Amino acid sequence: MPKRRANQDDGSPHSKRQRLTDDSSLKPMVEEITSAQQLQSLLAFKQDAGAETKRSIHAFKAFLESITYGHDEALKSTRRGTLLEFLQLQPVSHSEDERIYAFDLIKTWSFAQSNNEALFSTIASVLALFLKAISHHIEFQKYGRNVCRLLLEKDHLKLFERGLSAQKSKDQLITATLRLLTEIVTFDGGSSAKRVYRAKDTTLKRIDTFLGLRNDVKAGPPNTRRKPSIRNITLRYFFAHLKLQDHGSKIEILGNGKLLRSVFQGIKEDSPSIIHEIFDHIEDDVLKDKKIPRRIKGRFLSDQSLGSIASLYGYLTNHDAIQDEGSIHKSESIPDRAHAFLLSVSTTPEYGLLIGGGALHTRTQGEEDENTQPQDLNGLGSLYKVASRPKAIKNHTLASFLQTLRPYAHDMQRSLTLAIFQAAPELVGDYFLRRKSFSFDPKLTATWVGLAALLLSTINLPFQGLEDPSEAHGMLPPSASDLLEGILPLPLSSKVVGRCLSQNVTLIRFFTVKILSAAFNKFAAVLEYFRFCERQARTERLEEIWKSATSSLVEDFTQRCPDMSHVITVFRSCSPQDIVLREATSRLLSLYYRHLPQTALEQKFDASMVLSAAISDAAVTARQPKSSALESMVLEHLIGVARCSPDIRWWQKPGMHDPSFIPAKNSNTVQQRRGFLYLGAVFGFARL
């Protein structure tokens, strides 16, 4: 029969007339429960599981929701009394000397597993809501505990197996089962948590898979409340186990590497509330738990997990507009929270990730060393070289994690990198050795400036264990490789630094000069420490070891430093307007003469001529307050250079005796300081 055509006499397209319906009529009528007998009748087991059963389940669900989420306290109290009376009407059986309350709702749930998935998931949700509604009321505790026992019996575990083995697309079935398990674990302070873990082959099945199932954030409009994902519900189930299981069970759970990786994998896609919840539970229930061994905690934080957490440094702000069920927003931003967490786990040995402290010493053999046969200097030097060879690093996880950071491009990541270097100095050399992409070749780019800032900050880090020389008695010197990598890291080779100093770009030269000055200051502090330990050594043999170590340290540092001729060229090329660069370069020259005098004296640098010109310039700029302070510092550094030059004859230079620069009685402080510097230059005073 052909399809009937629409009447189109008016030439307009035919449109189907919409059915006019009242939305309120579509809503199912929910029966209000007013008595325990009515509730008993509604929940009685029925074989058909038809529409009547569904209406009864929805009525009981609405009844429980009014108890759990309602605002009318009087109504909630009345309905709790009705629920308690209903539970008292349930028949009692005995199993292993425990009173088990038969619950027809569980029979209906078991019946629905084979032919009605919608009813199966609804009943699981209602059972979870039932336990949640009675969990905080002491009069319901014995009933709730017995319901939990009944659900965890062998015959009923297959119901959880049915829910957890469902296809990934059937999220309603999976989430309902997980919610019920979560309520069982948390009920009555975890009284049934151990029973749940005993059945871990069923109750923890596919948890790692569920942790990877997220809702599509882009599917809904922004600023909307979205349905919790399978991952969110699974995380709360997992955290319930971490919080309430005994330590033996908790350690077994933390031994599942695949499960732990799934917790952090893709964390950047989670909502803010879930991310805060993850960090809170990991800190409180794992890291701060002193009964969990350090090795178990360290296994929890793999380099892949740390890399996933570090991805939160780029957490998008539009995530903050997405809320999920029960979300509680905290004032701390996600990047700040992740940074605080990474700082804590990377620098706290008790959390299991950091192995060993930051001290650089290696203890001697004590009395055995003192009783050994005396050795010559070459033998002692060999002993020091063996002790100062590069050691195999202990913190492999942190070393791998550092390679994923971008400290040259992100302030927080630079702060984290420096904190790890401070806590584990052995990683400084390893980091720059493995980071082949780091090149300090002079290029005025943001990356080069960021790398220069990282190198300068690394050099400025103090060596732990070298603050108090009195603690070094009976110890061998620290590893030379660790020391040198902390003083002049690998990218700062003499050739590369020389090329940086040869550039015409003022910023590149200034950064390079500041880095070298910081390296000299750190080298001077370590050298002073070595010499003190040499003087305070307990035995002659140990004294010779420290002496040999001091010589080796000076030799190795000299080889790493660039030729001083590059610094002299920078100083001579400084224009009068580059007073900041001139002051920094003159300081570096003074450091060369003070700490590497043999290297400095090999250069043909006429300090007397430079000093004479500096005094003349200082006299000219005496009345310019903005530049007078820096000029005084330049003059002071040059006097330090002249002090270390044995062949200089200051007083034979023309113009050195001009008394016009000597300050009058009422001159300002800066001018007086310059006058005294001038007198020190003229008369060769060694100290200011």
Side-chain angles (χ1 to χ4, degrees), residues 368-623:
E368 295 181 6
D369 288 341
E370 295 181 4
N371 296 329
T372 54
Q373 295 296 326
Q375 301 179 11
D376 58 3
L377 182 59
N378 294 330
L380 295 171
S382 300
L383 178 59
Y384 168 68
K385 290 180 180 179
V386 171
S388 60
R389 287 175 183 172
K391 297 175 294 184
I393 62 172
K394 301 177 182 178
N395 295 279
H396 296 283
T397 301
L398 284 175
S400 300
F401 169 58
L402 280 173
Q403 299 300 316
T404 65
L405 298 178
R406 300 174 67 245
Y408 51 87
H410 196 281
D411 291 340
M412 284 187 178
Q413 295 187 37
R414 179 164 60 250
S415 173
L416 176 61
T417 302
L418 294 174
I420 296 175
F421 285 167
Q422 180 71 21
E426 64 172 5
L427 297 180
V428 177
D430 178 81
Y431 175 74
F432 289 110
L433 180 64
R434 296 171 61 181
R435 200 65 184 252
K436 302 296 184 181
S437 60
F438 272 4
S439 175
F440 201 61
D441 287 328
K443 292 181 180 179
L444 191 57
T445 61
T447 301
W448 188 92
V449 173
L451 179 56
L454 173 65
L455 290 170
L456 180 59
S457 300
T458 302
I459 294 171
N460 285 328
L461 291 176
F463 283 127
Q464 292 189 23
L466 303 187
E467 295 87 354
D468 188 2
S470 61
E471 298 180 357
H473 293 305
M475 286 183 166
L476 287 174
S479 169
S481 60
D482 289 341
L483 288 173
L484 289 174
E485 290 303 332
I487 297 173
L488 273 177
L490 190 61
L492 298 174
S493 63
S494 58
K495 292 183 179 180
V496 172
V497 175
R499 287 198 295 268
C500 292
L501 293 174
S502 301
Q503 292 292 307
N504 293 326
V505 183
T506 302
L507 184 59
I508 293 180
R509 292 191 296 178
F510 178 74
F511 258 120
T512 308
V513 169
K514 293 292 290 184
I515 288 173
L516 287 176
S517 298
F520 266 95
N521 289 329
K522 193 170 188 179
F523 167 73
V526 175
L527 192 60
E528 181 181 357
Y529 178 85
F530 271 44
R531 287 170 177 168
F532 178 86
C533 293
E534 178 186 340
R535 296 190 299 268
Q536 300 296 324
R538 294 178 178 177
T539 63
E540 182 179 353
R541 180 168 183 253
L542 193 57
E543 179 183 354
E544 293 296 336
I545 292 177
W546 278 99
K547 185 177 181 179
S548 176
T550 304
S551 301
S552 299
L553 179 65
V554 174
E555 180 182 354
D556 293 343
F557 181 75
T558 303
Q559 292 177 355
R560 288 213 181 189
C561 284
D563 194 89
M564 201 182 78
S565 60
H566 297 292
V567 184
I568 296 174
T569 303
V570 173
F571 180 77
R572 287 174 174 170
S573 63
C574 289
S575 63
Q577 290 77 21
D578 294 335
I579 184 60
V580 177
L581 179 60
R582 183 178 174 84
E583 186 277 328
T585 311
S586 62
R587 181 190 299 271
L588 181 57
L589 285 173
S590 176
L591 292 171
Y592 262 97
Y593 274 92
R594 190 182 310 165
H595 303 300
L596 297 179
Q598 293 182 351
T599 302
L601 293 176
E602 292 176 357
Q603 303 296 325
K604 296 180 180 180
F605 180 59
D606 193 349
S608 58
M609 293 294 295
V610 176
L611 181 60
S612 177
I615 292 176
S616 300
D617 294 340
V620 173
T621 59
R623 292 188 175 89

